Amino acid sequence: MVKKLVMAQKRGETRALCLGVAMVVCAVITYYVLATTLLPLYQKSVWTQESKCHLIETNIRDQEELKGKKVPQYPCLWVNVSAAGSWAVLYHTEDTRDQNQQCSYIPGSLDNYQTARADVEKVRANFQEQQVFYCFSAPPGNETSVLFRRLYGPQTLLFSLFWPTFLLTGGLLIIAMVKSNQYLSILAAQK
């Protein structure tokens, strides 16, 4: 009976150790992926100064209004604001500015023009309702554009690091508990 109990404990300890090691390895891999993808984007983001923006104007540009230019096949919201005492163009995120500098907001679904138009109208109404809001600007010198929301801010970085840290801590705790259990059972067997 005692031999069966010891064998069952040994198998359970082995499985628990494998689980702990697997959790630690997954956490290390996740840290590596985050360090090579998200961290460089966070470091490149120059939109660090938070300021108050005052709405100047919003208009929706359709493809008919922008003839002669490279025009997207979706409605385009253009927002002008006053930030830090100067005129600026408001972009929804960093990616919006990179995708199309003629649009302040690009709708989420571009499959249906009417749905995209309704989405842009809703965002425009939200801006007109709130005339003053917080925005992010680049350091002095590039104040012709500001962001409404940062994609790669400190909150995003902390949220992305939460689960790998949780995995790493859990894996190390499992390994520590199994090793301490083994040590205590060896001490008990010697007495």
Side-chain angles (χ1 to χ4, degrees):
M1 179 77 172
V2 173
K3 189 173 184 177
K4 286 183 183 178
L5 182 63
V6 169
M7 291 300 290
Q9 281 181 338
K10 197 159 188 82
R11 274 185 271 155
E13 288 172 352
T14 305
R15 289 178 183 155
L17 274 176
C18 288
L19 174 66
V21 169
M23 288 172 70
V24 169
V25 168
C26 285
V28 169
I29 290 171
T30 307
Y31 279 131
Y32 174 75
V33 169
L34 288 175
T36 57
T37 57
L38 189 65
L39 196 59
L41 294 173
Y42 173 74
Q43 290 174 334
K44 287 180 190 174
S45 180
V46 297
W47 311 95
T48 55
Q49 295 180 346
E50 189 173 0
S51 59
K52 278 196 174 189
C53 286
H54 300 274
L55 185 69
I56 296 174
E57 70 170 322
T58 62
N59 66 11
I60 298 174
R61 297 178 175 179
D62 286 315
Q63 55 200 58
E64 297 83 49
E65 295 177 23
L66 298 172
K67 290 189 177 177
K69 296 180 182 175
K70 270 189 166 178
V71 178
Q73 298 299 317
Y74 49 84
C76 177
L77 178 65
W78 182 258
V79 181
N80 292 329
V81 294
S82 170
S86 63
W87 175 88
V89 177
L90 179 76
Y91 292 102
H92 187 241
T93 62
E94 293 100 327
D95 289 347
T96 307
R97 186 174 186 268
D98 294 338
Q99 286 176 0
N100 186 354
Q101 291 192 355
Q102 295 177 355
C103 290
S104 295
Y105 174 76
I106 298 172
S109 76
L110 302 176
D111 298 333
N112 185 351
Y113 184 83
Q114 295 302 325
T115 306
R117 176 74 183 206
D119 186 24
V120 169
E121 290 282 351
K122 186 173 124 184
V123 171
R124 179 184 187 188
N126 287 342
F127 276 124
Q128 289 176 340
E129 185 178 302
Q130 279 189 323
Q131 295 284 321
V132 179
F133 48 88
Y134 287 101
C135 58
F136 296 96
S137 60
N142 184 18
E143 294 171 356
T144 58
S145 57
V146 293
L147 294 182
F148 182 66
R149 187 173 67 91
R150 287 179 67 188
L151 282 180
Y152 311 113
Q155 296 90 356
T156 305
L157 189 64
L158 289 175
F159 182 73
S160 299
L161 292 174
F162 172 75
W163 287 109
T165 304
F166 184 72
L167 259 177
L168 181 68
T169 306
L172 291 175
L173 280 174
I174 289 173
I175 292 171
M177 286 191 307
V178 169
K179 288 299 181 182
S180 65
N181 187 26
Q182 287 174 346
Y183 177 72
L184 291 174
S185 65
I186 290 171
L187 283 180
Q190 289 175 350
K191 289 185 178 180

